[in-house]
Amino acid sequence: MKVEILSEEELKIKFILKDSDYVFANAWRRAMKSLVPTLAVDYVDFYLNTSLLYDEIIAHRIGLIPLKTDLERYNFQDKCVCEGEGCPNCQVSLRLNVEGPKTVYSGDLIPDDPEVKPVYDNIPIVELYEGQQLMLEAVARLGTGKEHAKFQPVSICYYKIIPRIEITEDCNLCMKCVDACPRNVLKNDNGKVVVENVLECSMCRDCVRVCEANAILIEETGDFLFTVEGVGQLPVRTVMRKALEILKEKAEEANRILEELS
């Protein structure tokens, strides 16, 4: 099993998972979306709110603001020494005290830990008019995507099978398959049908249906093309690595349980 990086941007990675199977590919995808923890605001204490929005609406908006996360610095509350009471090791506060006229943005939140700041400082929260004021304290903690979508570290995470396409010697060079392919996977190369870009193939099999000589063979493989786009709380490579570590821990725990049962 190997991983080949095709392209990498600040928040987006495309890679090929080689010599695997769809069971592991889907488990890795689900782990990246729902098992990798991040920080997000869990509740908000309002001290003053004279804006046009209810407390609940503002709290909901603040809860969805992605926060930079240090997984080495913070613990899950149920695994912390404070036993869930809340301490600097498992939660962090972000304070806000602004007066209008002003549009309040995520960058106006002031965290107790300067490393735990909003990923983007231009997310609008509420517009305050003359004489209006907003004073609150938001408390963030670690959580996972299976608990709430606000903890998800990736916005896009999907894969597709990379097929094996073979043009046999029975091909009569009618070129109907080249014209039928909606993704330009096949190419007419000096009167010969060749596979130009197998990564674009969606296995629709339109080429197979129009082939008069039945000369096109398409088979599934153990290679998968992944596209992962992060939200920004964690680097995408960190999300990928952490998801693998979590899957390994779960597999080891399952083996331990099976050994105890036997």
Side-chain angles (χ1 to χ4, degrees), residues 30-79:
R30 290 171 61 90
M32 283 190 275
K33 289 183 67 72
S34 62
L35 298 180
V36 177
T38 64
L39 285 169
V41 170
D42 190 38
Y43 63 90
V44 181
D45 288 328
F46 286 87
Y47 303 113
L48 182 62
N49 177 20
T50 56
S51 72
L52 297 179
L53 297 183
Y54 293 117
D55 294 355
E56 293 83 357
I57 298 177
I58 296 177
H60 183 264
R61 292 183 175 185
I62 293 175
L64 293 176
I65 295 174
L67 303 175
K68 287 288 186 180
T69 301
D70 184 356
L71 296 179
E72 302 296 327
R73 169 70 177 81
Y74 292 93
N75 307 316
F76 282 103
Q77 286 190 328
D78 58 350
K79 297 180 181 179

Side-chain angles (χ1 to χ4, degrees), residues 219-239:
E219 299 177 346
E220 295 185 1
T221 69
D223 299 342
F224 302 86
L225 176 62
F226 269 83
T227 301
V228 183
E229 184 173 328
V231 179
Q233 305 100 316
L234 296 166
V236 180
R237 280 182 179 251
T238 301
V239 176

Side-chain angles (χ1 to χ4, degrees), residues 185-196:
V185 175
L186 302 177
K187 178 183 178 182
N188 183 350
D189 185 14
N190 296 323
K192 183 179 180 180
V193 179
V194 296
V195 180
E196 183 176 35

Side-chain angles (χ1 to χ4, degrees), residues 128-232:
L128 298 178
Y129 295 96
E130 184 71 35
Q132 294 181 338
Q133 185 175 358
L134 182 62
M135 183 188 304
L136 58 83
E137 178 185 4
V139 179
R141 64 168 176 85
L142 281 181
T144 59
K146 69 178 183 179
E147 178 184 355
H148 195 286
K150 65 184 179 182
F151 294 111
Q152 287 186 359
V154 294
S155 57
I156 295 175
C157 184
Y158 62 88
Y159 67 87
K160 69 175 183 178
I161 299 173
I162 302 176
R164 181 185 299 106
I165 305 176
E166 180 182 352
I167 310 297
T168 69
E169 296 179 354
D170 298 329
C171 179
N172 61 6
L173 303 179
C174 66
M175 298 301 166
K176 291 183 178 180
C177 58
V178 176
D179 297 331
C181 180
R183 293 174 174 262
N184 299 318
V185 175
L186 302 177
K187 178 183 178 182
N188 183 350
D189 185 14
N190 296 323
K192 183 179 180 180
V193 179
V194 296
V195 180
E196 183 176 35
N197 188 1
V198 70
L199 296 182
E200 290 295 324
C201 182
S202 63
M203 300 181 67
C204 66
R205 299 183 182 272
D206 283 352
C207 57
V208 175
R209 283 188 282 270
V210 300
C211 183
E212 298 175 351
N214 295 323
I216 303 177
L217 301 178
I218 300 179
E219 299 177 346
E220 295 185 1
T221 69
D223 299 342
F224 302 86
L225 176 62
F226 269 83
T227 301
V228 183
E229 184 173 328
V231 179

